[in-house]
């Protein structure tokens, strides 16, 4: 049974809840669910550790981050197994993306923090400089789609900036977080610097509302983001939110079509479409529209279906497949549940799906689905393509495929999105700002932007003595 991790110790408290294997639907194991007492204990442990951790020189905290990276390397196979058990992800993706990014996150933020200069300004006989202080105890609320990658993406900068943390992984995916608790303990990380509580959204709610929590970082749905925002409003806690998306992909007729198709297959179907950066709206220029649709649908048919995270999420995705039909879509491929004739038939699979023919105002084209599915529409002019891409309540990521460099810059700069990829998708430089506009989030993480969120500046202004005349 999976336990919480508080003050450097495993804590078996609270009733148990089941964790299902998405591949078979069977209960795979159980975990303890944090109740108010467990949440309080975790926050207290984090507070007790906060002062000493914040007092360490940044170079020492950066050293801890490197040791945690080494710990992850040493437990690589265990982390891969835990992540696959909880999510049903493909082995190759887990080995090349999810777990390596955990290592990269710790190493990158160690470097960025250790090398960051402070600001200093000199004006008319006064010197002003800033020192940055950690926020204190940060609640880290992690989603189920990229559990290890996203936990470490938040944890590494929060810790290196001098905060202590209480992490709440999704109820579906606590496995890799539990292995990480062992890594922290084995590395000898001071007790209370990292605490982990398990449970449902209700445990996350108790955590963010706890008066001992100073800030909240969250990746997940816009609905949960707004609920957290309301919960912490009266204490004016800093929040950093990366929320939903309804990301557009623009395919111009001057693109390398083979690359655009393969890139779109990745951007639509990676992780079963369960990545906030995945493309759900594709717009293709008229001369290549028919060929693009036919080839994308044919590639989608070749893909190995990947399970959705839960029975409930599968129902949600399938409800959008039904909605597409009821709104009048033409289904080019998929739209249903695959049959395998083996144990996977009781799992949470859906078919990779491509549809066309819906209006921009259809619910299908406006709401985030978070599954292996996209709608393809056509456009004629560059201006029209930009308007279509921007005609969404969301603005996390956009992708464009073109062979014209001027167009690439021109269009990219007009897209209302926090991230624009040109002729590629989901290639990440961890030093760059990451986050969304509109309903897709508040704030940016990544590079020094993460360090800015996880700390607050104090400006010190000192009058300089005038030399004697
Ligand atoms: O790669 C990352 O750093 C990142 N924050 C990915 C977020 C994916 C959301 O589903």
């Amino acid at each position: 049974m999976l336990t919480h991790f508080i003050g450097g110790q495993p804590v078996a408290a609270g009733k148990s809840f089941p964790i299902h294997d998405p591949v078979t639907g069977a209960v795979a194991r159980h975990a303890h669910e944090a109740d108010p007492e467990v949440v309080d204990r975790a926050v207290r442990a984090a507070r007790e550790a906060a002062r000493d951790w914040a007092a360490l020189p940044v170079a020492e905290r950066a050293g801890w981050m490197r040791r945690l990276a080494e710990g992850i390397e040493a437990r690589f196979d265990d982390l891969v197994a835990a992540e696959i058990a909880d999510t049903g992800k493909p082995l190759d993706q887990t080995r090349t993306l999810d777990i390596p990014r955990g290592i990269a996150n710790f190493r990158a933020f160690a470097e960025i923090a250790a090398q960051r200069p402070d600001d200093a300004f000199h004006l008319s006989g006064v010197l002003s400089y800033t020192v940055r202080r950690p926020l204190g105890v940060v609640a880290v609320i992690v989603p189920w789609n990229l559990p290890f990658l996203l936990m470490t993406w938040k944890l590494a900068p929060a810790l290196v900036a001098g905060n202590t943390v209480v992490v709440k992984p999704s109820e579906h995916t606590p496995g890799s977080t539990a292995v990480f608790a062992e890594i922290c303990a084995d590395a000898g990380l001071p007790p209370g610097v990292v605490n982990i509580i398990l449970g449902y959204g209700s445990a996350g709610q108790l955590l963010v509302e706890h008066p001992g929590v100073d800030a909240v970082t969250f990746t997940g749905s816009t609905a949960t983001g707004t609920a957290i925002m309301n919960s912490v409003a009266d204490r004016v806690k800093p929040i950093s939110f990366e929320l939903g998306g309804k990301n557009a992909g623009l395919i111009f007729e001057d693109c390398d079509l083979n690359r655009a198709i393969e890139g779109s297959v990745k951007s639509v179907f990676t992780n079963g479409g369960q990545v906030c950066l995945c493309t759900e709206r594709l717009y293709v220029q008229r001369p290549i529209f028919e060929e693009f649709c036919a080839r994308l649908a044919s590639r989608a048919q070749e893909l190995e279906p990947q399970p959705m995270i839960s029975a409930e999420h599968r129902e949600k995705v399938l409800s959008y497949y039904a909605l597409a039909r009821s709104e009048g879509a033409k289904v080019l491929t998929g739209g249903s549940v695959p049959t395998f004739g083996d144990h996977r038939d009781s799992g949470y699979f859906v078919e990779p799906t491509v549809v066309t023919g819906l209006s921009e105002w259809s619910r299908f084209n406006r709401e985030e689905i978070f599954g292996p599915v996209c709608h393809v529409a056509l456009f004629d002019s560059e201006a029209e393509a930009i308007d279509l891409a921007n005609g969404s309540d969301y603005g996390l990521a956009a992708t464009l495929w073109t062979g014209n460099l001027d167009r690439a810059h021109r269009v990219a700069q007009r897209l209302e999105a926090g991230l624009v990829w040109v002729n590629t998708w989901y290639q990440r430089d961890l030093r760059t700002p990451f986050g969304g506009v509109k309903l897709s989030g508040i704030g940016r993480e990544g590079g020094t932007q993460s360090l800015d969120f996880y700390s607050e500046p104090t400006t010190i202004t000192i009058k300089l003595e005038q030399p004697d005349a």
Side-chain angles (χ1 to χ4, degrees):
M1 174 119 98
L2 298 180
T3 62
H4 316 290
F5 178 69
I6 299 177
Q9 300 291 328
V11 171
K15 53 187 194 204
S16 92
F17 67 94
I19 301 158
H20 294 258
D21 175 356
V23 174
T24 62
V27 173
R29 50 188 166 168
H30 288 83
H32 285 280
E33 182 184 354
D35 56 19
E37 204 179 311
V38 169
V39 174
D40 187 57
R41 222 168 128 181
V43 175
R44 280 175 196 278
R47 288 222 79 82
E48 271 164 35
R51 188 184 295 249
D52 287 351
W53 183 250
L56 288 181
V58 67
E60 267 187 54
R61 289 196 300 266
W64 278 110
M65 299 304 105
R66 294 189 196 97
R67 284 195 278 288
L68 291 176
E70 284 160 18
I72 296 169
E73 279 170 334
R75 299 287 303 274
F76 192 90
D77 290 342
D78 295 336
L79 286 162
V80 168
E83 199 82 325
I84 291 176
D86 283 350
T87 62
K89 282 174 195 284
L91 176 65
D92 185 50
Q93 179 197 312
T94 315
R95 292 190 68 84
T96 57
L97 172 69
D98 297 74
I99 310 306
R101 257 299 296 281
I103 299 165
N105 286 335
F106 280 107
R107 295 230 159 97
F109 284 107
E111 293 317 309
I112 294 165
Q115 290 173 15
R116 186 173 199 192
D118 288 325
D119 290 327
F121 307 90
H122 184 199
L123 180 74
S124 310
V126 290
L127 174 70
S128 298
Y129 66 96
T130 54
V131 287
R132 298 202 72 96
R133 297 170 202 284
L135 301 171
V137 174
V138 178
V140 179
I141 312 286
V142 186
W144 45 257
N145 61 336
L146 302 169
F148 193 67
L149 186 159
L150 285 174
M151 178 192 63
T152 52
W153 165 246
K154 293 171 177 301
L155 208 60
L159 293 176
V160 82
N163 303 280
T164 57
V165 299
V166 181
V167 181
K168 211 298 267 167
S170 161
E171 67 273 22
H172 300 300
T173 54
S176 56
T177 315
V179 177
F180 183 71
E182 294 168 10
I183 292 170
C184 292
D186 291 347
L189 191 71
V193 170
V194 170
N195 305 278
I196 296 165
I197 58 163
L198 309 181
Y200 293 96
S202 49
Q205 182 77 11
L206 289 168
L207 176 62
V208 301
E209 284 176 356
H210 195 294
V213 164
D214 298 295
V216 180
T217 177
F218 168 71
T219 296
S221 72
T222 301
T224 306
T226 50
I228 295 176
M229 220 168 161
N230 284 325
S231 308
V232 302
D234 60 347
R235 294 191 70 91
V236 201
K237 294 184 187 180
I239 49 172
S240 176
F241 285 174
E242 191 206 320
L243 305 176
K246 190 73 189 173
N247 306 312
L250 303 181
I251 323 286
F252 288 91
E253 63 172 320
D254 57 20
C255 72
D256 175 331
L257 192 54
N258 292 334
R259 280 177 66 195
I261 288 166
E262 283 315 304
S264 300
V265 167
K266 274 198 192 138
S267 81
V268 174
F269 299 112
T270 293
N271 211 42
Q274 302 167 110
V275 181
C276 55
L277 308 164
C278 278
T279 305
E280 292 192 1
R281 298 179 296 138
L282 279 168
Y283 300 101
V284 184
Q285 207 159 13
R286 190 180 294 273
I288 55 170
F289 179 75
E290 295 299 337
E291 181 180 355
F292 182 91
C293 286
R295 289 179 60 186
L296 183 71
S298 140
R299 284 288 290 111
Q301 273 162 23
E302 291 165 12
L303 298 174
E304 200 53 50
Q306 194 179 320
M308 302 295 92
I309 193 66
S310 63
E312 187 191 9
H313 187 55
R314 181 171 85 149
E315 283 316 305
K316 177 188 163 187
V317 174
L318 290 174
S319 79
Y320 279 95
Y321 289 6
L323 178 69
R325 288 194 176 89
S326 73
E327 289 188 312
K330 182 172 170 198
V331 179
L332 300 181
T333 188
S336 184
V337 171
T339 43
F340 301 96
D342 59 27
H343 60 285
R344 290 172 292 174
D345 286 341
S346 53
Y348 306 144
F349 293 86
V350 297
E351 286 179 339
T353 294
V354 180
V355 307
T356 186
L358 290 177
S359 114
E360 287 306 299
W361 290 101
S362 60
R363 270 186 56 211
F364 188 93
N365 267 332
R366 301 206 68 80
E367 298 175 9
E368 184 181 48
I369 301 170
F370 221 61
V373 56
C374 68
H375 179 267
V376 197
L378 60 76
F379 67 87
D380 288 300
S381 69
E382 188 178 297
E384 186 189 0
I386 294 168
D387 283 348
L388 286 165
N390 289 343
S392 167
D393 295 333
Y394 294 99
L396 183 56
T399 307
L400 63 109
W401 299 87
T402 176
N404 178 329
L405 188 60
D406 289 339
R407 166 174 279 158
H409 288 292
R410 203 166 50 229
V411 174
Q413 289 175 27
R414 290 187 55 199
L415 290 175
E416 295 165 3
L419 305 149
V420 178
W421 278 290
V422 179
N423 295 333
T424 183
W425 177 75
Y426 200 10
Q427 284 197 291
R428 295 276 289 110
D429 182 327
L430 304 184
R431 296 168 298 184
T432 56
F434 188 100
V437 304
K438 304 191 210 171
L439 290 188
S440 290
I442 293 186
R444 293 290 182 277
E445 297 190 24
T448 54
Q449 310 257 339
S450 289
L451 301 179
D452 284 349
F453 172 70
Y454 292 112
S455 64
E456 277 182 321
T458 298
T459 300
I460 299 169
T461 300
I462 183 161
K463 178 138 182 59
L464 301 177
E465 282 303 316
Q466 298 300 313
D468 291 337

